[in-house]
Amino acid sequence: MATAQLTTDRLAEKHRSTLDQALATIRTRAYWSPYPEHPKAYGADGSLDAAAGLAAHQSTLNTRFDLDQPGTDGWTGGETSPYGPSLGIEYPHADLDVLLPAMRAGMGAWRDAGAETRALVCLEILARISARTHEFAHAVMHTSGQAFMMAFQAGGPHAQDRGLEAVAYAYEEQTRTPAGRAGWSKPQGKRDPLELSKEFTPVGRGIALVIGCNTFPTWNGYPGLFASLATGNPVVVKPHPRAVLPLALTVKIAREVLAEVGFDPNLVALAVERPGEGIAKTLAVRPEVRIIDYTGSTAFGDWLEANARQAQVYTEKAGVNTVVVDSTDDYKGMLANLAFSLSLYSGQMCTTPQNLLIPRDGIATDQGPKSYDEVVTDLAAAVGGLLGDDARANGLLGALVNPDVKARLEAAAGLGEVALASREVVNPEYPDAVVRTPVIVKLDGSKPDAQAAYFSECFGPVSFAVSVDSTADALELLRRTVREKGAMTVGAYTTSADTERAVEEVCLEESAQLSLNLTGGVYVNQTAAFSDFHGSGGNPAANAALCDGAFVSNRFRVVEVRRQA
């Protein structure tokens, strides 16, 4: 046990109001964030400004990232930025037979600390991460390929929001049952009542495993990490081998805070794999691991659900996101909104639209009737106009995260008629970066060979403009897609109240999150913590939602001790 340097009273003074506001906001679903999303907001109160953040990132490169973890039996690494440079960082490799028992050793004190203290410690970890947002932005950028501004916002404040949201839900679920002792008295008529003293304690399930993803290491990693930690569980973080640094920084900060408050720093640890080791599979079936959070391919998600039987498994897997285009009263706004959604981070988001279902006879718009061909041509022009300037294109697209995305992009052009060809964009600052604009392919929804293409996820900057016989046919295809393949997001454009209700009914019945008639600065592939649910947990794309009560409530159990009064 470390010597406490930061008292729980001081934590409450610093963070209780933030926790209270988070608890209020998950009930109102209003906009709120305690973490600034503008780069110029940093530099005061001990936070790193842009120059200091860059310097901190550069000081980490080509070094050994020591965490002083038990069981370190060597070093491993090998990250290469999607922008070209090798990071040159070596991370500790763990002997799991030593590390996992050490992680369990601190569970008792962490359990006894109570829900409020655990939440406040988590908020201190998040506050220190927030102070280093500029450093995290570079770490996320050079492991995921996100452009800097997106890495700064999505990898920084938006990820921190999701972590805080998970803490708020965890605290709320744990405090539904009264803390401390409760008296119980059952009348017995003329006899003395039966009286007991009862004590209820939230108890974590055991070690939680977070399996990180390549594209959004912090945004997708923080909900599970903080939900498990706040509910009394040690957390071992297994990063994607191409995206270790952002989560390694997170683990280091968490360990520092835990030690300063007097808890065992081994409640949070890092498990980095050697090339080809497959440590995620090994960890997933260890009896000590009782919770797993995973974002990634359907194949491995299915494997986890089938084989990690000793653990509560939360998965976000692949889906086929769909937009139904029926009609619009803002044709220009619709095209601009869709163009941005298709382009952001080169379509490498689990929420990016893939299939655009458009009636072959066209749609009604404020600019008059538009045929299927006209809609597709105009959308292609909108994407081309948005990305026509290379500097702007680099700022929106970032870099392709791995060669598999590039291969899918190149293969997509052979699947149908190309309405918008992908082009190479040169990044003058990083000439080795692989930057490509999206491809839009026209497909006839009635043809079986086309169905093989649009009925499976094609992750990356690939979209299919699928012609359908009618809006009714589009809704049936939407229903089938969500039911069989899953979807993280659904979008629809319509001026018809009847059609709007019909789309809603499909999404309610199939448990898909729906965005209607977005034409401004909110996009179907963006969600806001405390307000929007990311995924629903009700279709094959994910078995959990970020974040709701169900995401946290089964990470702990309430254990009761009864005493004779």
Side-chain angles (χ1 to χ4, degrees):
M1 178 75 68
T3 301
Q5 302 171 26
L6 187 62
T7 66
T8 53
D9 287 345
R10 176 61 179 142
L11 288 177
E13 180 184 336
K14 290 177 67 176
H15 302 303
R16 182 67 221 203
S17 62
T18 302
L19 177 60
D20 288 341
Q21 183 62 58
L23 290 167
T25 307
I26 62 175
R27 299 184 190 109
T28 64
R29 317 307 295 182
Y31 170 76
W32 174 73
S33 172
Y35 308 115
E37 63 179 6
H38 196 289
K40 291 184 179 180
Y42 297 82
D45 301 323
S47 64
L48 302 182
D49 63 13
L54 176 59
H57 171 69
Q58 291 174 334
S59 72
T60 306
L61 304 179
N62 303 304
T63 64
R64 278 191 169 176
F65 198 100
D66 192 6
L67 291 169
D68 193 27
Q69 289 185 173
T72 297
D73 61 7
W75 298 86
T76 187
E79 292 159 292
T80 297
S81 169
Y83 290 93
S86 170
L87 302 192
I89 304 172
E90 289 187 311
Y91 302 95
H93 181 272
D95 179 342
L96 300 181
D97 290 331
V98 177
L99 178 62
L100 297 184
M103 295 184 70
R104 287 188 57 86
M107 279 190 73
W110 188 236
R111 174 201 65 220
D112 294 343
E116 180 176 21
T117 294
R118 288 193 294 271
L120 295 173
V121 171
C122 288
L123 264 65
E124 176 67 16
I125 296 169
L126 285 163
R128 296 196 190 185
I129 291 170
S130 175
R132 295 168 63 174
T133 292
H134 272 284
E135 179 184 0
F136 272 83
H138 290 285
V140 171
M141 173 182 176
H142 285 290
T143 52
S144 71
Q146 295 175 31
F148 177 79
M149 195 61 192
M150 184 176 187
F152 182 93
Q153 293 184 337
H158 297 171
Q160 295 151 24
D161 284 340
R162 283 296 185 193
L164 175 56
E165 178 185 42
V167 173
Y169 272 101
Y171 177 83
E172 179 143 290
E173 292 299 319
Q174 290 174 97
T175 54
R176 289 186 186 278
T177 304
R181 293 190 179 183
W184 182 85
S185 180
K186 181 178 179 180
Q188 295 292 298
K190 294 180 180 180
R191 293 175 293 168
D192 292 338
L194 298 175
E195 294 186 344
L196 293 174
S197 172
K198 302 184 179 184
E199 190 172 3
F200 305 94
T201 303
V203 176
R205 283 184 170 272
I207 293 176
L209 168 63
V210 174
I211 303 175
C213 69
N214 195 174
T215 48
F216 288 90
T218 56
W219 198 98
N220 277 107
Y222 283 4
L225 192 165
F226 285 100
S228 288
L229 191 61
T231 50
N233 304 281
V235 182
V236 58
V237 178
K238 204 300 291 185
H240 191 284
R242 294 193 186 100
V244 179
L245 181 56
L247 292 177
L249 290 168
T250 302
V251 168
K252 187 169 188 176
I253 291 169
R255 291 174 63 84
E256 290 170 353
V257 170
L258 286 163
E260 286 184 32
V261 189
F263 294 105
D264 190 335
N266 296 322
L267 287 166
V268 179
L270 189 73
V272 183
E273 62 189 309
R274 296 187 175 110
E277 183 178 9
I279 197 173
K281 277 192 172 183
T282 302
L283 276 166
V285 296
R286 292 277 304 214
E288 305 96 326
V289 171
R290 304 301 302 277
I291 302 165
I292 299 173
D293 288 275
Y294 167 75
T295 299
S297 72
T298 296
F300 191 58
D302 289 345
W303 185 91
L304 288 170
E305 291 169 359
N307 292 277
R309 305 303 295 271
Q310 84 293 348
Q312 181 72 30
V313 179
Y314 300 89
T315 58
E316 180 188 314
K317 302 177 287 188
V320 179
N321 301 319
T322 300
V323 177
V324 174
V325 183
D326 168 74
S327 54
T328 180
D329 57 8
D330 184 359
Y331 187 61
K332 183 178 179 181
M334 180 189 78
L335 295 175
N337 192 280
L338 286 173
F340 188 92
S341 297
L342 301 183
S343 302
L344 185 62
Y345 184 33
S346 301
Q348 298 170 122
M349 302 172 69
C350 62
T351 49
T352 300
Q354 174 179 299
N355 293 345
L356 310 175
L357 308 185
I358 307 168
R360 64 181 80 255
D361 290 336
I363 66 171
T365 80
D366 56 317
Q367 297 183 15
K370 298 289 183 179
S371 68
Y372 163 84
D373 287 332
E374 286 177 314
V375 173
V376 178
T377 299
D378 291 344
L379 177 60
V383 174
L386 178 67
L387 303 176
D389 175 75
D390 281 3
R392 185 176 188 184
N394 277 305
L396 284 175
L397 295 170
L400 298 189
V401 69
N402 60 52
D404 291 341
V405 176
K406 181 173 179 284
R408 282 193 294 270
L409 171 64
E410 292 172 346
L415 297 175
E417 180 186 345
V418 175
L420 177 67
S422 177
R423 71 178 183 90
E424 182 176 355
V425 178
V426 175
N427 187 318
E429 187 175 0
Y430 299 102
D432 292 332
V434 179
V435 185
R436 299 288 189 274
T437 62
V439 64
I440 299 176
V441 178
K442 297 167 72 173
L443 296 175
D444 186 335
S446 64
K447 294 184 176 179
D449 58 338
Q451 180 177 301
Y454 68 71
F455 210 56
S456 60
E457 185 187 45
C458 190
F459 185 77
V462 177
S463 292
F464 299 117
V466 182
S467 63
V468 293
D469 290 337
S470 65
T471 297
D473 288 332
L475 295 182
E476 283 307 306
L477 179 53
L478 169 65
R479 182 187 298 277
R480 183 179 166 213
T481 301
V482 177
R483 180 177 295 173
E484 297 183 24
K485 300 298 181 179
M488 296 299 293
T489 56
V490 172
Y493 291 90
T494 182
T495 58
S496 163
D498 289 342
T499 299
E500 183 173 316
R501 283 193 296 272
V503 177
E504 282 188 58
E505 191 63 22
V506 170
C507 291
L508 290 169
E509 290 179 356
E510 305 302 333
S511 296
Q513 312 293 17
L514 171 63
S515 297
L516 285 163
N517 297 317
L518 299 182
T519 57
V522 176
Y523 304 94
V524 66
N525 46 348
Q526 296 175 319
T527 58
F530 308 108
S531 184
D532 296 323
F533 292 109
H534 176 74
S536 70
N539 69 65
N543 71 2
L546 305 180
C547 182
D548 60 9
F551 185 69
V552 299
S553 60
N554 215 14
R555 296 171 189 264
F556 70 96
R557 308 312 299 161
V558 176
V559 177
E560 175 185 358
V561 177
R562 301 190 297 180
R563 294 178 174 87
Q564 187 71 44

